[in-house]
Amino acid sequence: SALCKAMTEGKVIVLDEINLLPFESLRFLQSILDGKSQIIYKGQTINIADGFKIIGTMNLQVNGMTYSLPEPLVDRAEELRQFKLTADNLVSAII
C-alpha cells in the first residue's frame, strides 16, 4: 500500500479527511506513530524508516456533524494548524 511504501522508504504521505477514517484505521495510525522503528502487521515485520511522516488534513465539520480525531492521535501530532479559507487567501494560493 502507499502507507507501507511511505513507512519503509521514509517518505511523507498525505491522508486527506483523516478524521473520517474508521476507528480501527485511526488506532492503527496511532500505533505506528509511537516512535517505533518497526511494527508487525499481519505477520509481516515492517521497518519504519527515518523521515516517515503523515500529513493529515481534515474538515472538522462535515454536513453539520463534528468529526474530531481521538485524543491519543492528537497527542502524537507534531503540529496542528487551523486554516480558514477566505477569498483573499484562496486568490493568493492560486496566483
Side-chain angles (χ1 to χ4, degrees), residues 9 11 25 38 46 55 64-65 69 76 82 84 90:
E9 294 180 4
K11 304 279 182 165
S25 298
Q38 62 181 214
I46 299 171
I55 297 176
M65 300 282 295
L69 288 173
R76 287 162 176 78
Q82 182 176 1
K84 295 221 182 233
L90 179 59

Side-chain angles (χ1 to χ4, degrees), residues 20-73:
L20 299 181
L21 286 171
F23 181 73
E24 295 80 22
S25 298
L26 292 171
R27 285 197 52 190
F28 176 74
L29 290 178
Q30 181 180 319
S31 72
I32 64 174
L33 296 173
D34 279 340
K36 299 173 188 160
S37 60
Q38 62 181 214
I39 61 165
I40 298 174
Y41 180 71
K42 294 187 177 182
Q44 282 189 310
T45 299
I46 299 171
N47 294 311
I48 302 173
D50 289 338
F52 169 68
K53 289 189 190 268
I54 295 173
I55 297 176
T57 67
M58 61 186 249
N59 292 307
L60 185 58
Q61 293 191 341
V62 178
N63 298 325
M65 300 282 295
T66 300
Y67 297 92
S68 57
L69 288 173
E71 195 61 36
L73 195 53

Side-chain angles (χ1 to χ4, degrees), residues 9-10 13-14 17 21 34 51 63 71 75 82-83 85-86 92:
E9 294 180 4
I13 188 168
V14 177
E17 302 295 352
L21 286 171
D34 279 340
N63 298 325
E71 195 61 36
D75 288 344
Q82 182 176 1
F83 179 77
L85 188 59
T86 65
S92 62

